[in-house]
């Protein structure tokens, strides 16, 4: 069970893996995630988005950045190894229908969860414009895959080493000002990026969906550790989400909660790239 | 505080046994001192996760058993949710025939080592006990639970647990959802009849609340694992990491996977919050999250990857077993002060009396007739305190309990860096949301008939998913009832 059947390093610390998981492959829909645990005794449970699935082969694809204990352990596994625990598909699937012009904004590793959503949006007959952002060319992932789906692909890097030297919010703003007005924006990436995407679209009244990646334990609604404030109400990301209306999410509270165990992680010498990204963009 | 050691208690009991002149008259029996449960010294156990209550020694058990009057009307049996023949097993302990004693219990109960430890005996079998009534204190009742635990441990420690016999295969398949006490009971009872049984558990380890909720210091996990191993030895298949409603739907199990009957024992896993300001600050946890991190994910062990919030001053909100467990975990995980805040008085606390006493011995500070109005944040968005209101007892309500009413203007603040909310659980909506036609109550619990059958054919349910957050023994009792109905159904079809 859960055998790794394919592994590829996409950038310095981002990996793509195909894992045998026939039931999840059959059930999963765009937007859903799994919980992974390595080491039954002392391992932690972490959520990872399902980037793709092949129900015929009975496999799911995950793309992850080696940032913490579990993702590091996962990264050193080889083809033929097994992942001790994989549970899913969890969360609500993305609501897919024909909206019209849909803008998909993926930042950093957020491009991975965006891929199945963009695919499904395209298949539903939408015009799909994809904005991909990364700090530099080396950190861009899934460019070819996204190009194959997109009616238009816009690449932004912080240092201009590929595409435009801009933050993803710049082309997003331009698209909001252009006709036809986007029917929907979907933003997935570091929390700070999602927050600013939501702020960018807000004045234009463009409905904006974001996919939240909070700390989780069970992933089935039992602990409430994943809770966020959305429109003044408490929601559990693992069962009510992971997607929410970006204009209603309290991102500041969510970002603070993500740092709850920060000091502990520092002790463990974990470099959190998400935080680096947050610090940089501030 | 002076602490009496296990050795001292055993010595006293040994001497007590010698002085008994049989046959004993009722009056002499009642004069035997109630045997205290040996426990780890509070000063020591605050720093370890090992079991607190150490269990009776043989002399203690035998002496305690002599306190039983063998009442012909058996009021204690009426108080037991699964009607264990209590005087019969106690007599066997008095006779020194422990194998026969556990045999009597096993006629009615599947999990004596668990129930002996966690049942609220003072409100069940021990409440109506004649000895307790005569001595005008439930505390003085025959210690039925401790005796039950004694023989269950005796059986396990002497390697006498026998895997129940399984009848010849019937070719029928039963699926069981969840692996808490209700499900474990159904699995054993249904498997015994020769049906194929598969248990689906969302977590990576089976056991339900017994594993992820109730801490090691109250219920050693080796005991739970042992029960699960027993199921495996009977040929029950256990599929962990399997969420019904997500990995596979209930209907798929019936229609596509060939299950002839299903039992839903998914428990009450949806934490309630207070809905007050500040509840999503860093440092506020549901008891479920806190206990899961501490127990299932082994947060108490340095090797665990799952982090535990570094708390100094903790407030736990609630007065049930869950609240006591969370408070006592927090002390063990290094908190300097743990405050338990409860809206009513100690008399109304739903927790087991023994746990309340143990919590106090361990230095948990009780704040009664108080309730928080909001949680306060520092400039970073982390908890730095709570605002509370004091209450007083008002007029009795419909249930006869005096309701707490707030004292106007009594607001005050308490400095804490962690708040653990332990005010109860509702039922997890996953199965009902993904199963059309499954009837539920307005509280979200599953509606069942007198056989434990839900509104769907061949689908049964029991335990907390039906009762709301209840007890281990009631879950087991419901499991028994549903298993009997499933076995009848499969015998007919
Ligand atoms: C901290 C705490 C302390 C307690 N202390 C006591 C005590 O001292 N005495 C006492 O009698 N009672 C106590 N209780 C209550 C008691 O534990 C419960 O009443 C009892 O465990 C209920 O059993 P159950 O079989 O209904 O479900 P549970 O034990 O809740 O087990 C349900 C299982 O189902 C799994 N599950 C849920 N949904 C799904 C799904 N969709 N697919 C697959 N699996 C699923 C869950 O992961 C879980 O493992 C306590 C409860 C808690 C939380
Ligand atoms: S009520 Fe008490 S004294 Fe009477 S039989 Fe039961 S345990 Fe013994
Ligand atoms: S992760 Fe526990 S409720 Fe969402």
């Amino acid at each position: 069970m859960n055998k790794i059947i394919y592994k590829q390093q996409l950038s310095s610390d981002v990996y793509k893996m195909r894992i045998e998981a026939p039931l999840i492959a059959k059930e999963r829909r765009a937007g859903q995630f799994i919980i992974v645990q390595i080491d039954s005794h002392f391992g932690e449970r972490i959520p990872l988005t399902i980037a793709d699935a092949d129900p015929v082969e009975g496999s799911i694809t995950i793309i992850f950045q080696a940032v913490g204990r579990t993702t590091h352990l996962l990264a050193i596994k080889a083809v033929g190894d097994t992942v001790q625990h994989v549970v899913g598909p969890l969360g609500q699937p993305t609501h897919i229908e024909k909206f019209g012009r849909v803008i998909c904004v993926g930042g950093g590793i957020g491009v991975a969860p965006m891929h199945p959503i963009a695919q499904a949006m395209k298949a539903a007959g939408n015009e799909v414009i994809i904005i991909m952002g990364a700090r530099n060319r080396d950190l861009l992932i899934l460019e070819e895959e996204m190009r194959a789906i997109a009616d238009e692909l816009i690449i932004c890097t912080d240092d201009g080493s590929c595409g435009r030297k801009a933050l993803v919010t710049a082309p997003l703003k331009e698209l909001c000002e252009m006709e036809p007005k986007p029917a929907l924006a979907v933003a997935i990436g570091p929390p700070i990026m999602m927050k600013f995407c939501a702020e960018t679209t807000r004045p234009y009244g463009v409905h904006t969906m974001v996919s939240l990646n909070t700390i989780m334990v069970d992933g089935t609604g039992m602990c409430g550790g994943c809770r966020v404030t959305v429109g003044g109400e408490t929601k559990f990301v693992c069962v009510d989400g992971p997607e929410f209306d970006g204009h209603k999410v309290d991102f500041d509270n969510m970002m603070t909660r993500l740092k709850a165990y920060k000091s502990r992680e520092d002790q463990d010498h974990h470099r959190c790239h998400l935080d680096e990204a947050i610090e940089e963009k501030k | 505080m002076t602490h009496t050691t296990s050795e001292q208690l055993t010595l006293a009991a040994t001497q007590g046994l010698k002085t008994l002149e049989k046959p004993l008259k009722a009056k002499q029996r009642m004069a035997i001192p109630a045997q205290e449960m040996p426990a780890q010294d509070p000063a020591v156990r605050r720093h370890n996760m090992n079991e607190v209550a150490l269990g009776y020694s043989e002399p203690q058990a035998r002496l305690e058993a002599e306190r039983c009057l063998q009442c012909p009307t058996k009021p204690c049996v009426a108080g037991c949710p699964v009607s264990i023949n209590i005087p019969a097993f106690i007599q066997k302990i008095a006779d020194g025939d422990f194998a026969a004693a556990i045999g009597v219990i096993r006629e009615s109960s599947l999990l004596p080592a668990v129930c002996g430890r966690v049942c609220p005996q003072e409100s069940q079998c021990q409440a109506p006990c004649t000895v307790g009534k005569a001595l005008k204190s439930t505390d003085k009742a025959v210690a039925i639970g401790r005796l039950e635990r004694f023989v269950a441990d005796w059986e396990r420690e002497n390697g006498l647990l026998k895997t129940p016999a399984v009848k010849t295969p019937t070719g029928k398949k039963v699926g069981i959802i969840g692996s808490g006490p209700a499900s474990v009971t159904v699995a054993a009872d249904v498997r015994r009849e020769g049906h194929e049984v598969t248990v689906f558990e969302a977590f990576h380890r089976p056991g339900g609340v017994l594993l992820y909720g109730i801490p090691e210091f109250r219920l050693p996990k080796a005991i739970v694992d042992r029960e699960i191993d027993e199921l495996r030895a009977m040929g029950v298949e256990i599929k962990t990491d399997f969420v019904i409603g997500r990995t596979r739907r209930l209907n798929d199990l019936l229609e596509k996977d060939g299950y002839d009957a299903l039992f839903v024992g998914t428990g009450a896993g949806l934490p309630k919050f207070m809905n007050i300001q500040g509840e999503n600050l860093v440092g506020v946890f549901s008891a479920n999250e806190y206990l899961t991190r501490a127990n299932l994910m082994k947060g108490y062990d340095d090797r665990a990857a799952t982090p535990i919030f570094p708390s100094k001053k903790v407030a736990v909100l609630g007065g049930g077993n869950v609240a006591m467990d969370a408070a006592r975990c927090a002390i063990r995980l290094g908190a300097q002060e743990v405050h338990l805040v409860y809206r009513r008085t100690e008399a109304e606390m739903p927790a087991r009396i023994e746990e309340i006493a143990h919590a106090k011995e361990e230095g948990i500070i009780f704040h009664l007739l108080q309730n928080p109005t909001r949680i306060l944040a520092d400039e970073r968005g982390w908890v730095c305190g709570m605002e509370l209101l004091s209450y007083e007892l008002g007029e009795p309500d419909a249930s006869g309990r005096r309701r707490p009413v707030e004292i106007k203007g009594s607001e005050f603040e308490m400095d804490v860096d962690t708040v653990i909310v332990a005010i109860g659980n509702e039922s997890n909506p996953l199965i009902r949301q993904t199963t059309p036609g499954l009837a539920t109550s307005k509280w979200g619990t599953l509606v069942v008939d007198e056989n434990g059958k839900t509104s769907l054919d061949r689908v049964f349910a029991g335990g907390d998913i039906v009762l709301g957050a209840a007890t281990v023994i009631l879950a087991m009792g419901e499991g028994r009832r549903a298993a009997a109905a499933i076995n009848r159904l499969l015998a007919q079809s």
Side-chain angles (χ1 to χ4, degrees):
Chain A
M1 270 254 284
N2 313 333
K3 196 157 69 167
I4 299 168
I5 49 185
Y6 174 86
K7 178 184 176 185
Q8 186 195 349
Q9 188 162 2
L10 299 184
S11 72
S12 62
D13 57 0
V14 175
Y15 298 82
K16 176 173 173 175
M17 270 181 188
R18 230 161 54 232
I19 303 175
E20 212 170 66
L23 289 175
I24 302 176
K26 198 151 72 184
E27 286 295 321
R28 78 93 214 194
R29 279 184 285 157
Q32 290 186 295
F33 63 94
I34 52 172
I35 285 211
V36 170
Q37 184 183 354
I38 293 175
D39 175 355
S40 310
H41 293 288
F42 297 110
E44 60 186 339
R45 298 168 59 94
I46 61 153
L48 292 173
T49 320
I50 306 169
D52 205 348
D54 183 343
V56 180
E57 187 188 50
S59 70
I60 54 171
T61 301
I62 52 170
I63 294 176
F64 61 92
Q65 192 168 19
V67 285
R69 178 147 150 186
T70 300
T71 43
H72 274 122
L73 288 174
L74 197 55
I76 57 174
K77 284 192 178 280
V79 170
D81 289 350
T82 56
V83 182
Q84 281 82 338
H85 300 281
V86 175
V87 51
L90 301 172
Q92 303 290 338
T94 309
H95 175 67
I96 305 282
E97 63 171 70
K98 186 162 187 235
F99 295 99
R101 172 175 278 193
V102 175
I103 305 179
C104 296
V105 191
I109 188 83
V111 174
M114 184 59 85
H115 180 247
I117 296 172
Q119 219 170 20
M121 287 293 181
K122 182 71 196 168
N126 292 290
E127 185 201 352
V128 177
I129 301 181
I130 299 177
I131 307 174
M132 282 171 61
R135 271 184 292 156
N136 57 51
R137 165 186 285 278
D138 292 339
L139 298 175
L140 270 177
I141 57 167
L142 301 181
E143 188 185 335
E144 285 322 304
E145 286 86 344
M146 292 306 242
R147 193 177 302 282
I149 300 166
D151 289 288
E152 187 187 343
L153 179 73
I154 304 167
I155 293 177
C156 302
T157 49
D158 295 0
D159 64 357
S161 54
C162 186
R164 284 173 64 171
K165 182 177 188 319
L167 295 175
V168 289
T169 43
L172 179 61
K173 182 165 196 297
E174 291 157 20
L175 284 163
C176 286
E177 281 165 353
M178 250 160 42
E179 287 301 322
K181 203 171 116 174
L184 173 73
V186 187
I188 310 183
I192 194 79
M193 182 210 94
M194 293 192 279
K195 175 180 168 173
F196 282 111
C197 284
E199 288 317 314
T200 304
T201 57
R202 193 192 299 275
Y204 303 96
V206 173
H207 183 60
T208 301
M209 254 166 30
V210 294
S211 178
L212 306 183
N213 193 345
T214 52
I215 292 173
M216 291 191 188
V217 184
D218 58 305
T220 61
M222 188 278 286
C223 77
C226 61
R227 65 198 191 282
V228 286
T229 313
V230 181
E233 276 178 53
T234 293
K235 297 279 179 194
F236 289 5
V237 172
C238 70
V239 284
D240 301 323
E243 282 165 20
F244 294 99
D245 180 344
H247 294 152
K248 293 192 180 149
V249 172
D250 181 345
F251 282 104
D252 294 338
N253 176 245
M254 177 197 159
M255 288 187 276
T256 313
R257 286 182 63 81
L258 274 172
K259 289 194 204 152
Y261 298 100
K262 195 73 191 359
S263 51
R264 156 78 190 236
E265 296 226 320
D266 280 346
Q267 287 165 20
D268 290 355
H269 304 295
H270 290 156
R271 243 157 46 90
C272 179
H273 295 259
L274 206 64
D275 277 307
E276 264 170 41
I278 293 172
E279 299 308 324
E280 263 171 37
K281 300 210 169 155
K282 260 183 191 165
Chain B
M1 218 186 304
T2 55
H3 176 72
T4 319
T5 65
S6 187
E7 290 72 25
Q8 291 165 329
L9 292 170
T10 303
L11 193 67
T14 311
Q15 281 159 358
L17 277 174
K18 279 195 198 126
T19 59
L20 292 186
E21 280 174 39
K22 294 191 180 175
L24 292 168
K25 295 206 179 67
K27 217 166 157 188
Q28 290 165 299
R29 290 185 188 280
M30 290 207 288
I32 301 172
Q35 293 299 297
E36 193 183 312
M37 181 60 130
Q40 270 198 74
D41 188 334
V44 175
R45 71 184 193 233
R46 290 180 82 205
H47 305 290
N48 71 49
M49 286 299 278
N50 301 336
E51 192 168 18
V52 167
L54 301 170
Y56 278 164
S57 59
E58 199 177 309
Q60 276 196 290
R62 293 182 71 154
L63 191 55
E64 182 68 24
E66 294 291 3
R67 299 182 65 231
C68 173
L69 305 177
Q70 296 295 319
C71 314
T73 52
K74 303 181 186 178
C76 50
V77 178
C80 173
V82 297
S83 307
I84 294 176
N85 190 344
I86 292 165
F89 98 76
I90 294 182
Q91 183 60 55
K92 295 294 178 195
I93 295 179
D95 297 345
D97 189 351
F98 305 140
I102 190 68
V104 172
I105 296 176
R106 288 209 172 272
E107 285 164 20
S108 322
S109 172
L110 192 81
L111 304 167
V114 175
C115 294
R117 285 173 165 80
V118 306
C119 267
Q121 288 94 1
E122 68 270 8
S123 55
Q124 295 178 2
C125 54
Q126 289 171 201
C129 172
T130 315
V131 173
K133 289 250 185 294
L135 298 174
K136 298 198 169 49
S137 160
T138 319
D139 284 353
K140 299 256 158 58
V142 175
I144 302 168
R146 295 170 181 176
L147 290 172
E148 178 185 25
R149 168 182 166 167
F150 171 77
V151 280
D153 288 357
W154 175 86
E155 179 191 41
R156 191 182 63 257
E157 285 159 10
N158 286 290
L160 298 172
L161 280 174
K162 285 192 297 285
T163 306
V166 171
K167 292 189 184 159
T168 46
T170 59
K172 301 267 165 54
K173 263 171 62 167
V174 177
I176 295 177
I177 303 156
S179 62
S183 299
V184 166
T185 307
V186 177
D189 284 0
V190 169
R191 179 66 193 140
R192 250 194 279 259
E193 291 303 305
H195 308 306
E196 224 178 278
V197 174
T198 311
V199 172
F200 301 95
E201 168 55 48
F203 266 128
H204 53 282
R205 264 178 80 185
V209 168
L210 305 185
L211 199 74
Y212 77 71
I214 305 182
E216 175 76 18
F217 58 78
R218 204 147 73 77
L219 177 64
K221 299 312 144 206
I223 292 176
V224 183
D225 289 345
R226 186 65 223 234
E227 298 297 341
I228 301 291
D229 289 346
E230 216 49 54
L231 290 183
R232 289 205 173 100
M234 290 173 77
V236 170
E237 190 189 359
I238 301 178
K239 291 192 181 196
T240 50
D241 300 321
F242 207 113
V243 185
I244 300 299
R246 288 276 186 257
T247 315
R248 206 97 181 105
R249 263 166 255 265
L250 200 89
N251 296 342
D252 295 336
L253 297 178
L254 284 175
E255 290 156 20
K256 296 181 188 157
D257 302 344
Y259 285 93
D260 299 290
L262 297 177
F263 175 79
V264 183
T266 47
L270 182 73
K272 273 196 239 179
F273 284 93
M274 314 257 311
N275 294 319
I276 56 174
Q277 192 188 321
E279 225 161 10
N280 291 348
L281 295 170
V282 172
V284 185
F285 303 91
S286 75
N288 284 5
E289 179 182 1
Y290 195 77
L291 289 168
T292 302
R293 286 177 179 274
N295 300 318
L296 180 71
M297 308 311 291
K298 303 201 174 78
Y300 55 84
D301 194 308
D302 283 343
R303 289 169 292 178
T306 303
I308 283 275
F309 195 68
S311 309
K312 289 197 175 65
K313 283 183 80 174
V314 179
V316 176
L317 314 179
N321 287 316
V322 185
M324 298 301 151
D325 286 345
R328 298 173 68 199
C329 268
I331 277 279
R332 284 163 173 76
L333 292 168
Q336 288 156 10
E337 270 178 34
V338 178
H339 301 265
L340 190 116
V341 179
Y342 185 52
R343 204 164 58 97
R344 298 174 182 260
T345 69
E346 196 173 314
E348 284 90 24
M349 281 191 173
R352 296 179 76 226
I353 285 184
E354 192 174 72
E355 312 313 331
I356 297 175
H358 280 158
K360 285 185 179 167
E361 287 167 15
E362 288 164 15
I364 311 288
I365 304 157
F366 281 44
H367 301 261
L368 304 170
L369 289 168
Q370 290 175 8
N371 207 30
T373 45
R374 62 196 175 103
I375 302 170
L376 310 170
D378 66 10
E379 70 292 345
R380 297 176 304 162
W382 292 44
V383 171
C384 69
M386 278 194 315
E387 185 188 78
L388 299 107
L389 213 64
S390 290
Y391 283 63
E392 61 191 354
L393 286 183
E395 296 299 308
D397 62 14
S399 70
R401 293 206 300 183
R402 290 179 64 192
R403 281 167 65 92
V405 282
E406 59 178 72
I407 303 172
K408 288 240 155 37
S410 65
E411 288 89 350
F412 65 101
E413 284 182 14
M414 185 190 273
D415 287 345
V416 288
D417 55 34
T418 307
V419 176
I420 302 174
V421 186
I423 56 166
N425 276 293
E426 286 169 345
S427 57
N428 191 304
L430 200 53
I431 299 254
R432 73 168 189 263
Q433 282 168 356
T434 53
T435 312
L438 192 59
T440 53
S441 72
K442 67 177 176 196
W443 300 280
T445 53
L446 299 189
V447 178
V448 298
D449 68 11
E450 67 286 356
N451 292 317
K453 194 181 96 49
T454 65
S455 56
L456 294 177
D457 266 357
R458 299 179 174 271
V459 180
F460 296 76
D464 282 3
I465 186 67
V466 169
L467 301 170
T471 60
V472 172
I473 189 71
L474 289 175
M476 201 187 80
E478 292 233 311
R480 273 263 133 107
R481 181 180 71 166
I486 291 172
N487 287 335
R488 278 198 303 276
L489 174 79
L490 296 187
Q492 287 160 9
S493 56

